[in-house]
Amino acid sequence: MNASLEGNKGLCGNVTGFQPCERPASIVKKHSMAKGLKLIFITVLPILGALVLLCAFAGALFMRDQRRRVGDVERRDSIDKDDGLLSISSLHGSSLYWDILKATEEFDATFCIGKGGFGSVYKVNLPSLGNVAVKRLHSSFEIKHRKSFMNEVRALTGIKHRNIVRLYGFCSNAQHSFLVYEYVEKGSLSSILSNEVESKKLDWLTRVNIIKGVAYALSYMHHDCSPPIVHRDISSSNVLLDSEYEARVSDFGIAKILKPDSSNCTALAGTYGYVAPELAYTMKVTEMCDVYSFGVLALEVIKGKHLGEYITVLANSSTRDHVQLSDLLDERLPYPEDGVKEVLVFIIKLASSCLLETPKSRPTMHFISSMLSMDPPVSQITSMKAKSVPEM
């Protein structure tokens, strides 16, 4: 011990002769806390890091799955905020829109192949789809109920049937609004029937097949779609023929999706001469309106032109018996042989039942398509179903 420190009480330290100093409690406590924190960092942080990595990995998988699902969904909505583009299509809406504008040189008249009540039709060749028919809607076209309209278009783009023209999509902005359809080579049934040369290429069996195709299409729309779809404008102008003269129902510009529990009240729509009589006073569009239009169309296909006044004659059972078969056949074709004649007579009877004034008295398109697709000879079908169709 150093002599200079003698006599001082309470001294401590790491010196010979001194007692060791006791460590303050606070220092001990801090030391313990430091050890605890170190332990937490060593054990908890790796776990947290692992959880973060796991969440990031799960998020990446989820995003990839979402992208894949979006890629698998054929119909895709898109809104381009830069130019106000609104679209539903099987391709990217913006790409489809600008591709069509480029291909038509912004809808130059040289690409126009027809005009209708809702707009002009253009033939367009696209790298991704080949030839398509683009129906450019009139400039006065306006989407008043955007959500319901887009839902209708979305449902229609999902329709896939061999006798229905495929709707690829819809695009609209301040400058242009148009529907993009599958292109059908031969054009409308109306234009072919009105052409003296082309109409003769539609022999009796081809015409029977055309009538069947339209029936199958309408049956699918009425009974296999949920909710059912009413076309509302069945006419020879809205039936197209492909390269094999197969019927393809087109123009869903005014088609409405019906709710199964209610009728769809709307303004009178359709083509003059094909509109069901009840629409004039009930304004209620149902599947039976399409059935009536189908009856008119079927008779037109057999006659080669719209029957005009004969429609009311065939709709009335008291006057129907006075109509001769020759009055209902296209005179540009040879008189049908007996087997084909039976088929035509049966179709005329079936079509006449579609013209009945009371909608509930008309057959459904499911019944009509079933009758037309049966394999037994028509004479057997007629005898089995004699009560279902009126006599001529």
Side-chain angles (χ1 to χ4, degrees), residues 106-142:
E106 293 203 23
F107 294 105
D108 187 87
T110 57
F111 296 92
C112 183
I113 58 174
K115 294 184 178 181
F118 293 93
S120 301
V121 181
Y122 297 79
K123 180 181 178 181
V124 185
N125 186 274
L126 297 176
S128 54
L129 293 174
N131 288 329
V132 296
V134 177
K135 175 165 285 189
R136 184 192 181 193
L137 304 176
H138 291 311
S139 57
S140 58
F141 172 79
E142 180 183 356

PDB file of all heavy atoms in Angstrom, residues 106-142:
ATOM      1  N   GLU A 106     -57.531   5.735 -90.975  1.00  0.00           N
ATOM      2  CA  GLU A 106     -58.558   6.466 -90.206  1.00  0.00           C
ATOM      3  C   GLU A 106     -59.907   6.425 -90.913  1.00  0.00           C
ATOM      4  O   GLU A 106     -60.570   7.436 -91.142  1.00  0.00           O
ATOM      5  CB  GLU A 106     -58.115   7.906 -89.906  1.00  0.00           C
ATOM      6  CG  GLU A 106     -56.925   7.964 -88.961  1.00  0.00           C
ATOM      7  CD  GLU A 106     -56.846   9.295 -88.239  1.00  0.00           C
ATOM      8  OE1 GLU A 106     -57.874   9.984 -88.115  1.00  0.00           O
ATOM      9  OE2 GLU A 106     -55.743   9.628 -87.803  1.00  0.00           O
ATOM     10  N   PHE A 107     -60.302   5.202 -91.244  1.00  0.00           N
ATOM     11  CA  PHE A 107     -61.618   4.911 -91.820  1.00  0.00           C
ATOM     12  C   PHE A 107     -61.844   5.625 -93.153  1.00  0.00           C
ATOM     13  O   PHE A 107     -62.860   6.296 -93.367  1.00  0.00           O
ATOM     14  CB  PHE A 107     -62.732   5.247 -90.825  1.00  0.00           C
ATOM     15  CG  PHE A 107     -62.716   4.372 -89.606  1.00  0.00           C
ATOM     16  CD1 PHE A 107     -62.262   4.869 -88.393  1.00  0.00           C
ATOM     17  CD2 PHE A 107     -63.123   3.048 -89.680  1.00  0.00           C
ATOM     18  CE1 PHE A 107     -62.223   4.066 -87.259  1.00  0.00           C
ATOM     19  CE2 PHE A 107     -63.092   2.231 -88.550  1.00  0.00           C
ATOM     20  CZ  PHE A 107     -62.637   2.749 -87.342  1.00  0.00           C
ATOM     21  N   ASP A 108     -60.901   5.430 -94.036  1.00  0.00           N
ATOM     22  CA  ASP A 108     -61.045   5.950 -95.384  1.00  0.00           C
ATOM     23  C   ASP A 108     -62.153   5.177 -96.105  1.00  0.00           C
ATOM     24  O   ASP A 108     -62.349   3.974 -95.896  1.00  0.00           O
ATOM     25  CB  ASP A 108     -59.727   5.802 -96.149  1.00  0.00           C
ATOM     26  CG  ASP A 108     -59.776   6.479 -97.496  1.00  0.00           C
ATOM     27  OD1 ASP A 108     -59.482   7.680 -97.572  1.00  0.00           O
ATOM     28  OD2 ASP A 108     -60.125   5.794 -98.489  1.00  0.00           O
ATOM     29  N   ALA A 109     -62.885   5.859 -96.968  1.00  0.00           N
ATOM     30  CA  ALA A 109     -64.046   5.284 -97.652  1.00  0.00           C
ATOM     31  C   ALA A 109     -63.685   4.077 -98.515  1.00  0.00           C
ATOM     32  O   ALA A 109     -64.549   3.218 -98.775  1.00  0.00           O
ATOM     33  CB  ALA A 109     -64.729   6.343 -98.499  1.00  0.00           C
ATOM     34  N   THR A 110     -62.443   3.969 -98.951  1.00  0.00           N
ATOM     35  CA  THR A 110     -62.044   2.849 -99.805  1.00  0.00           C
ATOM     36  C   THR A 110     -62.111   1.510 -99.078  1.00  0.00           C
ATOM     37  O   THR A 110     -62.162   0.453 -99.725  1.00  0.00           O
ATOM     38  CB  THR A 110     -60.619   3.061-100.342  1.00  0.00           C
ATOM     39  OG1 THR A 110     -59.722   3.236 -99.230  1.00  0.00           O
ATOM     40  CG2 THR A 110     -60.551   4.270-101.244  1.00  0.00           C
ATOM     41  N   PHE A 111     -62.104   1.532 -97.747  1.00  0.00           N
ATOM     42  CA  PHE A 111     -62.150   0.297 -96.972  1.00  0.00           C
ATOM     43  C   PHE A 111     -63.573  -0.062 -96.547  1.00  0.00           C
ATOM     44  O   PHE A 111     -63.793  -1.112 -95.957  1.00  0.00           O
ATOM     45  CB  PHE A 111     -61.268   0.409 -95.715  1.00  0.00           C
ATOM     46  CG  PHE A 111     -59.810   0.576 -96.013  1.00  0.00           C
ATOM     47  CD1 PHE A 111     -59.253   1.838 -96.128  1.00  0.00           C
ATOM     48  CD2 PHE A 111     -58.999  -0.528 -96.189  1.00  0.00           C
ATOM     49  CE1 PHE A 111     -57.907   1.999 -96.411  1.00  0.00           C
ATOM     50  CE2 PHE A 111     -57.654  -0.386 -96.476  1.00  0.00           C
ATOM     51  CZ  PHE A 111     -57.101   0.885 -96.584  1.00  0.00           C
ATOM     52  N   CYS A 112     -64.539   0.789 -96.856  1.00  0.00           N
ATOM     53  CA  CYS A 112     -65.926   0.568 -96.451  1.00  0.00           C
ATOM     54  C   CYS A 112     -66.578  -0.475 -97.359  1.00  0.00           C
ATOM     55  O   CYS A 112     -66.491  -0.391 -98.588  1.00  0.00           O
ATOM     56  CB  CYS A 112     -66.711   1.875 -96.507  1.00  0.00           C
ATOM     57  SG  CYS A 112     -68.415   1.749 -95.932  1.00  0.00           S
ATOM     58  N   ILE A 113     -67.232  -1.458 -96.753  1.00  0.00           N
ATOM     59  CA  ILE A 113     -67.868  -2.523 -97.535  1.00  0.00           C
ATOM     60  C   ILE A 113     -69.388  -2.548 -97.342  1.00  0.00           C
ATOM     61  O   ILE A 113     -70.074  -3.388 -97.914  1.00  0.00           O
ATOM     62  CB  ILE A 113     -67.291  -3.909 -97.183  1.00  0.00           C
ATOM     63  CG1 ILE A 113     -67.453  -4.201 -95.688  1.00  0.00           C
ATOM     64  CG2 ILE A 113     -65.836  -4.005 -97.611  1.00  0.00           C
ATOM     65  CD1 ILE A 113     -67.035  -5.614 -95.306  1.00  0.00           C
ATOM     66  N   GLY A 114     -69.904  -1.656 -96.530  1.00  0.00           N
ATOM     67  CA  GLY A 114     -71.350  -1.625 -96.337  1.00  0.00           C
ATOM     68  C   GLY A 114     -71.768  -0.612 -95.286  1.00  0.00           C
ATOM     69  O   GLY A 114     -70.954  -0.143 -94.493  1.00  0.00           O
ATOM     70  N   LYS A 115     -73.059  -0.266 -95.309  1.00  0.00           N
ATOM     71  CA  LYS A 115     -73.603   0.672 -94.338  1.00  0.00           C
ATOM     72  C   LYS A 115     -74.904   0.127 -93.780  1.00  0.00           C
ATOM     73  O   LYS A 115     -75.670  -0.533 -94.480  1.00  0.00           O
ATOM     74  CB  LYS A 115     -73.842   2.039 -94.992  1.00  0.00           C
ATOM     75  CG  LYS A 115     -72.568   2.743 -95.426  1.00  0.00           C
ATOM     76  CD  LYS A 115     -72.855   4.129 -95.986  1.00  0.00           C
ATOM     77  CE  LYS A 115     -71.565   4.835 -96.379  1.00  0.00           C
ATOM     78  NZ  LYS A 115     -71.824   6.198 -96.906  1.00  0.00           N
ATOM     79  N   GLY A 116     -75.123   0.401 -92.493  1.00  0.00           N
ATOM     80  CA  GLY A 116     -76.334  -0.063 -91.836  1.00  0.00           C
ATOM     81  C   GLY A 116     -76.923   1.027 -90.967  1.00  0.00           C
ATOM     82  O   GLY A 116     -76.491   2.180 -90.999  1.00  0.00           O
ATOM     83  N   GLY A 117     -77.930   0.634 -90.185  1.00  0.00           N
ATOM     84  CA  GLY A 117     -78.611   1.598 -89.359  1.00  0.00           C
ATOM     85  C   GLY A 117     -77.773   2.158 -88.231  1.00  0.00           C
ATOM     86  O   GLY A 117     -78.047   3.251 -87.731  1.00  0.00           O
ATOM     87  N   PHE A 118     -76.738   1.408 -87.832  1.00  0.00           N
ATOM     88  CA  PHE A 118     -75.931   1.850 -86.696  1.00  0.00           C
ATOM     89  C   PHE A 118     -74.571   2.409 -87.106  1.00  0.00           C
ATOM     90  O   PHE A 118     -73.878   3.002 -86.288  1.00  0.00           O
ATOM     91  CB  PHE A 118     -75.731   0.683 -85.717  1.00  0.00           C
ATOM     92  CG  PHE A 118     -76.999   0.264 -85.051  1.00  0.00           C
ATOM     93  CD1 PHE A 118     -77.763  -0.755 -85.586  1.00  0.00           C
ATOM     94  CD2 PHE A 118     -77.448   0.893 -83.918  1.00  0.00           C
ATOM     95  CE1 PHE A 118     -78.948  -1.150 -84.980  1.00  0.00           C
ATOM     96  CE2 PHE A 118     -78.631   0.516 -83.298  1.00  0.00           C
ATOM     97  CZ  PHE A 118     -79.385  -0.506 -83.845  1.00  0.00           C
ATOM     98  N   GLY A 119     -74.188   2.202 -88.362  1.00  0.00           N
ATOM     99  CA  GLY A 119     -72.907   2.720 -88.792  1.00  0.00           C
ATOM    100  C   GLY A 119     -72.427   2.040 -90.053  1.00  0.00           C
ATOM    101  O   GLY A 119     -73.166   1.297 -90.714  1.00  0.00           O
ATOM    102  N   SER A 120     -71.175   2.274 -90.394  1.00  0.00           N
ATOM    103  CA  SER A 120     -70.566   1.718 -91.605  1.00  0.00           C
ATOM    104  C   SER A 120     -69.650   0.553 -91.241  1.00  0.00           C
ATOM    105  O   SER A 120     -69.046   0.531 -90.172  1.00  0.00           O
ATOM    106  CB  SER A 120     -69.770   2.800 -92.336  1.00  0.00           C
ATOM    107  OG  SER A 120     -70.610   3.880 -92.690  1.00  0.00           O
ATOM    108  N   VAL A 121     -69.553  -0.402 -92.164  1.00  0.00           N
ATOM    109  CA  VAL A 121     -68.726  -1.592 -91.945  1.00  0.00           C
ATOM    110  C   VAL A 121     -67.489  -1.518 -92.838  1.00  0.00           C
ATOM    111  O   VAL A 121     -67.589  -1.208 -94.033  1.00  0.00           O
ATOM    112  CB  VAL A 121     -69.516  -2.879 -92.247  1.00  0.00           C
ATOM    113  CG1 VAL A 121     -68.648  -4.106 -91.986  1.00  0.00           C
ATOM    114  CG2 VAL A 121     -70.786  -2.943 -91.399  1.00  0.00           C
ATOM    115  N   TYR A 122     -66.335  -1.816 -92.250  1.00  0.00           N
ATOM    116  CA  TYR A 122     -65.057  -1.765 -92.966  1.00  0.00           C
ATOM    117  C   TYR A 122     -64.371  -3.124 -92.905  1.00  0.00           C
ATOM    118  O   TYR A 122     -64.416  -3.810 -91.876  1.00  0.00           O
ATOM    119  CB  TYR A 122     -64.130  -0.713 -92.340  1.00  0.00           C
ATOM    120  CG  TYR A 122     -64.659   0.702 -92.426  1.00  0.00           C
ATOM    121  CD1 TYR A 122     -65.641   1.157 -91.547  1.00  0.00           C
ATOM    122  CD2 TYR A 122     -64.174   1.593 -93.379  1.00  0.00           C
ATOM    123  CE1 TYR A 122     -66.143   2.449 -91.627  1.00  0.00           C
ATOM    124  CE2 TYR A 122     -64.661   2.890 -93.456  1.00  0.00           C
ATOM    125  CZ  TYR A 122     -65.649   3.314 -92.578  1.00  0.00           C
ATOM    126  OH  TYR A 122     -66.123   4.596 -92.663  1.00  0.00           O
ATOM    127  N   LYS A 123     -63.771  -3.504 -94.009  1.00  0.00           N
ATOM    128  CA  LYS A 123     -62.950  -4.706 -94.027  1.00  0.00           C
ATOM    129  C   LYS A 123     -61.517  -4.306 -93.689  1.00  0.00           C
ATOM    130  O   LYS A 123     -60.936  -3.447 -94.338  1.00  0.00           O
ATOM    131  CB  LYS A 123     -62.987  -5.380 -95.402  1.00  0.00           C
ATOM    132  CG  LYS A 123     -62.157  -6.648 -95.481  1.00  0.00           C
ATOM    133  CD  LYS A 123     -62.225  -7.267 -96.882  1.00  0.00           C
ATOM    134  CE  LYS A 123     -61.358  -8.514 -96.969  1.00  0.00           C
ATOM    135  NZ  LYS A 123     -61.391  -9.117 -98.335  1.00  0.00           N
ATOM    136  N   VAL A 124     -60.972  -4.943 -92.639  1.00  0.00           N
ATOM    137  CA  VAL A 124     -59.657  -4.558 -92.136  1.00  0.00           C
ATOM    138  C   VAL A 124     -58.790  -5.800 -91.990  1.00  0.00           C
ATOM    139  O   VAL A 124     -59.249  -6.835 -91.501  1.00  0.00           O
ATOM    140  CB  VAL A 124     -59.772  -3.853 -90.761  1.00  0.00           C
ATOM    141  CG1 VAL A 124     -58.413  -3.354 -90.299  1.00  0.00           C
ATOM    142  CG2 VAL A 124     -60.768  -2.701 -90.825  1.00  0.00           C
ATOM    143  N   ASN A 125     -57.549  -5.697 -92.439  1.00  0.00           N
ATOM    144  CA  ASN A 125     -56.603  -6.793 -92.259  1.00  0.00           C
ATOM    145  C   ASN A 125     -55.647  -6.445 -91.122  1.00  0.00           C
ATOM    146  O   ASN A 125     -54.918  -5.458 -91.194  1.00  0.00           O
ATOM    147  CB  ASN A 125     -55.818  -7.054 -93.550  1.00  0.00           C
ATOM    148  CG  ASN A 125     -54.925  -8.275 -93.441  1.00  0.00           C
ATOM    149  OD1 ASN A 125     -53.789  -8.191 -92.981  1.00  0.00           O
ATOM    150  ND2 ASN A 125     -55.450  -9.420 -93.855  1.00  0.00           N
ATOM    151  N   LEU A 126     -55.665  -7.257 -90.064  1.00  0.00           N
ATOM    152  CA  LEU A 126     -54.810  -7.042 -88.903  1.00  0.00           C
ATOM    153  C   LEU A 126     -53.776  -8.151 -88.802  1.00  0.00           C
ATOM    154  O   LEU A 126     -54.096  -9.320 -89.055  1.00  0.00           O
ATOM    155  CB  LEU A 126     -55.646  -7.011 -87.617  1.00  0.00           C
ATOM    156  CG  LEU A 126     -56.685  -5.888 -87.493  1.00  0.00           C
ATOM    157  CD1 LEU A 126     -57.481  -6.061 -86.203  1.00  0.00           C
ATOM    158  CD2 LEU A 126     -56.018  -4.536 -87.531  1.00  0.00           C
ATOM    159  N   PRO A 127     -52.546  -7.833 -88.434  1.00  0.00           N
ATOM    160  CA  PRO A 127     -51.505  -8.866 -88.312  1.00  0.00           C
ATOM    161  C   PRO A 127     -51.874  -9.956 -87.318  1.00  0.00           C
ATOM    162  O   PRO A 127     -51.537 -11.130 -87.510  1.00  0.00           O
ATOM    163  CB  PRO A 127     -50.277  -8.066 -87.824  1.00  0.00           C
ATOM    164  CG  PRO A 127     -50.547  -6.654 -88.244  1.00  0.00           C
ATOM    165  CD  PRO A 127     -52.029  -6.485 -88.163  1.00  0.00           C
ATOM    166  N   SER A 128     -52.582  -9.589 -86.256  1.00  0.00           N
ATOM    167  CA  SER A 128     -52.886 -10.541 -85.193  1.00  0.00           C
ATOM    168  C   SER A 128     -54.128 -11.387 -85.464  1.00  0.00           C
ATOM    169  O   SER A 128     -54.232 -12.518 -85.000  1.00  0.00           O
ATOM    170  CB  SER A 128     -53.083  -9.794 -83.866  1.00  0.00           C
ATOM    171  OG  SER A 128     -54.067  -8.784 -84.019  1.00  0.00           O
ATOM    172  N   LEU A 129     -55.087 -10.871 -86.239  1.00  0.00           N
ATOM    173  CA  LEU A 129     -56.355 -11.564 -86.444  1.00  0.00           C
ATOM    174  C   LEU A 129     -56.655 -11.876 -87.901  1.00  0.00           C
ATOM    175  O   LEU A 129     -57.587 -12.624 -88.191  1.00  0.00           O
ATOM    176  CB  LEU A 129     -57.508 -10.708 -85.889  1.00  0.00           C
ATOM    177  CG  LEU A 129     -57.564 -10.510 -84.379  1.00  0.00           C
ATOM    178  CD1 LEU A 129     -58.679  -9.527 -84.018  1.00  0.00           C
ATOM    179  CD2 LEU A 129     -57.800 -11.831 -83.669  1.00  0.00           C
ATOM    180  N   GLY A 130     -55.902 -11.318 -88.824  1.00  0.00           N
ATOM    181  CA  GLY A 130     -56.225 -11.471 -90.229  1.00  0.00           C
ATOM    182  C   GLY A 130     -57.348 -10.518 -90.597  1.00  0.00           C
ATOM    183  O   GLY A 130     -57.455  -9.416 -90.052  1.00  0.00           O
ATOM    184  N   ASN A 131     -58.230 -10.931 -91.490  1.00  0.00           N
ATOM    185  CA  ASN A 131     -59.338 -10.072 -91.891  1.00  0.00           C
ATOM    186  C   ASN A 131     -60.405 -10.005 -90.803  1.00  0.00           C
ATOM    187  O   ASN A 131     -60.836 -11.040 -90.273  1.00  0.00           O
ATOM    188  CB  ASN A 131     -59.972 -10.583 -93.187  1.00  0.00           C
ATOM    189  CG  ASN A 131     -59.089 -10.343 -94.391  1.00  0.00           C
ATOM    190  OD1 ASN A 131     -58.328  -9.369 -94.432  1.00  0.00           O
ATOM    191  ND2 ASN A 131     -59.168 -11.227 -95.388  1.00  0.00           N
ATOM    192  N   VAL A 132     -60.824  -8.800 -90.483  1.00  0.00           N
ATOM    193  CA  VAL A 132     -61.921  -8.593 -89.536  1.00  0.00           C
ATOM    194  C   VAL A 132     -62.888  -7.583 -90.138  1.00  0.00           C
ATOM    195  O   VAL A 132     -62.538  -6.834 -91.049  1.00  0.00           O
ATOM    196  CB  VAL A 132     -61.425  -8.076 -88.167  1.00  0.00           C
ATOM    197  CG1 VAL A 132     -60.545  -9.110 -87.474  1.00  0.00           C
ATOM    198  CG2 VAL A 132     -60.688  -6.749 -88.304  1.00  0.00           C
ATOM    199  N   ALA A 133     -64.110  -7.591 -89.637  1.00  0.00           N
ATOM    200  CA  ALA A 133     -65.106  -6.598 -90.035  1.00  0.00           C
ATOM    201  C   ALA A 133     -65.264  -5.615 -88.893  1.00  0.00           C
ATOM    202  O   ALA A 133     -65.562  -6.007 -87.761  1.00  0.00           O
ATOM    203  CB  ALA A 133     -66.436  -7.277 -90.353  1.00  0.00           C
ATOM    204  N   VAL A 134     -65.049  -4.353 -89.178  1.00  0.00           N
ATOM    205  CA  VAL A 134     -65.144  -3.310 -88.150  1.00  0.00           C
ATOM    206  C   VAL A 134     -66.380  -2.471 -88.421  1.00  0.00           C
ATOM    207  O   VAL A 134     -66.509  -1.863 -89.491  1.00  0.00           O
ATOM    208  CB  VAL A 134     -63.884  -2.421 -88.147  1.00  0.00           C
ATOM    209  CG1 VAL A 134     -64.034  -1.301 -87.121  1.00  0.00           C
ATOM    210  CG2 VAL A 134     -62.655  -3.261 -87.835  1.00  0.00           C
ATOM    211  N   LYS A 135     -67.301  -2.466 -87.470  1.00  0.00           N
ATOM    212  CA  LYS A 135     -68.503  -1.645 -87.596  1.00  0.00           C
ATOM    213  C   LYS A 135     -68.276  -0.354 -86.831  1.00  0.00           C
ATOM    214  O   LYS A 135     -68.292  -0.320 -85.601  1.00  0.00           O
ATOM    215  CB  LYS A 135     -69.725  -2.374 -87.055  1.00  0.00           C
ATOM    216  CG  LYS A 135     -70.973  -1.512 -87.045  1.00  0.00           C
ATOM    217  CD  LYS A 135     -72.242  -2.313 -86.871  1.00  0.00           C
ATOM    218  CE  LYS A 135     -72.597  -3.043 -88.147  1.00  0.00           C
ATOM    219  NZ  LYS A 135     -73.941  -3.656 -88.083  1.00  0.00           N
ATOM    220  N   ARG A 136     -68.042   0.712 -87.579  1.00  0.00           N
ATOM    221  CA  ARG A 136     -67.847   2.022 -86.966  1.00  0.00           C
ATOM    222  C   ARG A 136     -69.206   2.646 -86.691  1.00  0.00           C
ATOM    223  O   ARG A 136     -70.006   2.844 -87.603  1.00  0.00           O
ATOM    224  CB  ARG A 136     -67.026   2.921 -87.894  1.00  0.00           C
ATOM    225  CG  ARG A 136     -66.696   4.275 -87.288  1.00  0.00           C
ATOM    226  CD  ARG A 136     -66.143   5.205 -88.335  1.00  0.00           C
ATOM    227  NE  ARG A 136     -65.790   6.510 -87.781  1.00  0.00           N
ATOM    228  CZ  ARG A 136     -65.515   7.582 -88.513  1.00  0.00           C
ATOM    229  NH1 ARG A 136     -65.567   7.490 -89.837  1.00  0.00           N
ATOM    230  NH2 ARG A 136     -65.206   8.720 -87.942  1.00  0.00           N
ATOM    231  N   LEU A 137     -69.483   2.935 -85.437  1.00  0.00           N
ATOM    232  CA  LEU A 137     -70.783   3.455 -85.042  1.00  0.00           C
ATOM    233  C   LEU A 137     -70.906   4.931 -85.390  1.00  0.00           C
ATOM    234  O   LEU A 137     -69.910   5.650 -85.475  1.00  0.00           O
ATOM    235  CB  LEU A 137     -70.992   3.244 -83.544  1.00  0.00           C
ATOM    236  CG  LEU A 137     -70.862   1.783 -83.083  1.00  0.00           C
ATOM    237  CD1 LEU A 137     -70.992   1.689 -81.576  1.00  0.00           C
ATOM    238  CD2 LEU A 137     -71.906   0.903 -83.760  1.00  0.00           C
ATOM    239  N   HIS A 138     -72.132   5.381 -85.586  1.00  0.00           N
ATOM    240  CA  HIS A 138     -72.377   6.779 -85.936  1.00  0.00           C
ATOM    241  C   HIS A 138     -71.804   7.712 -84.872  1.00  0.00           C
ATOM    242  O   HIS A 138     -71.708   7.363 -83.693  1.00  0.00           O
ATOM    243  CB  HIS A 138     -73.877   7.039 -86.086  1.00  0.00           C
ATOM    244  CG  HIS A 138     -74.480   6.365 -87.282  1.00  0.00           C
ATOM    245  ND1 HIS A 138     -73.929   6.450 -88.545  1.00  0.00           N
ATOM    246  CD2 HIS A 138     -75.593   5.586 -87.414  1.00  0.00           C
ATOM    247  CE1 HIS A 138     -74.674   5.774 -89.394  1.00  0.00           C
ATOM    248  NE2 HIS A 138     -75.684   5.236 -88.738  1.00  0.00           N
ATOM    249  N   SER A 139     -71.439   8.893 -85.287  1.00  0.00           N
ATOM    250  CA  SER A 139     -70.839   9.865 -84.370  1.00  0.00           C
ATOM    251  C   SER A 139     -71.780  10.246 -83.234  1.00  0.00           C
ATOM    252  O   SER A 139     -71.340  10.699 -82.171  1.00  0.00           O
ATOM    253  CB  SER A 139     -70.418  11.125 -85.134  1.00  0.00           C
ATOM    254  OG  SER A 139     -71.538  11.683 -85.817  1.00  0.00           O
ATOM    255  N   SER A 140     -73.078  10.027 -83.435  1.00  0.00           N
ATOM    256  CA  SER A 140     -74.056  10.358 -82.400  1.00  0.00           C
ATOM    257  C   SER A 140     -74.119   9.293 -81.309  1.00  0.00           C
ATOM    258  O   SER A 140     -74.809   9.468 -80.302  1.00  0.00           O
ATOM    259  CB  SER A 140     -75.444  10.523 -83.017  1.00  0.00           C
ATOM    260  OG  SER A 140     -75.832   9.335 -83.699  1.00  0.00           O
ATOM    261  N   PHE A 141     -73.402   8.184 -81.530  1.00  0.00           N
ATOM    262  CA  PHE A 141     -73.413   7.094 -80.546  1.00  0.00           C
ATOM    263  C   PHE A 141     -72.874   7.580 -79.203  1.00  0.00           C
ATOM    264  O   PHE A 141     -71.854   8.248 -79.125  1.00  0.00           O
ATOM    265  CB  PHE A 141     -72.565   5.930 -81.054  1.00  0.00           C
ATOM    266  CG  PHE A 141     -72.358   4.841 -80.038  1.00  0.00           C
ATOM    267  CD1 PHE A 141     -73.349   3.902 -79.795  1.00  0.00           C
ATOM    268  CD2 PHE A 141     -71.176   4.758 -79.321  1.00  0.00           C
ATOM    269  CE1 PHE A 141     -73.164   2.906 -78.860  1.00  0.00           C
ATOM    270  CE2 PHE A 141     -70.979   3.769 -78.390  1.00  0.00           C
ATOM    271  CZ  PHE A 141     -71.978   2.835 -78.154  1.00  0.00           C
ATOM    272  N   GLU A 142     -73.579   7.206 -78.140  1.00  0.00           N
ATOM    273  CA  GLU A 142     -73.174   7.630 -76.800  1.00  0.00           C
ATOM    274  C   GLU A 142     -73.469   6.512 -75.813  1.00  0.00           C
ATOM    275  O   GLU A 142     -74.541   5.894 -75.856  1.00  0.00           O
ATOM    276  CB  GLU A 142     -73.938   8.887 -76.395  1.00  0.00           C
ATOM    277  CG  GLU A 142     -73.588   9.408 -75.007  1.00  0.00           C
ATOM    278  CD  GLU A 142     -74.415  10.615 -74.615  1.00  0.00           C
ATOM    279  OE1 GLU A 142     -75.206  11.084 -75.468  1.00  0.00           O
ATOM    280  OE2 GLU A 142     -74.289  11.076 -73.478  1.00  0.00           O
TER     281      GLU A 142
END
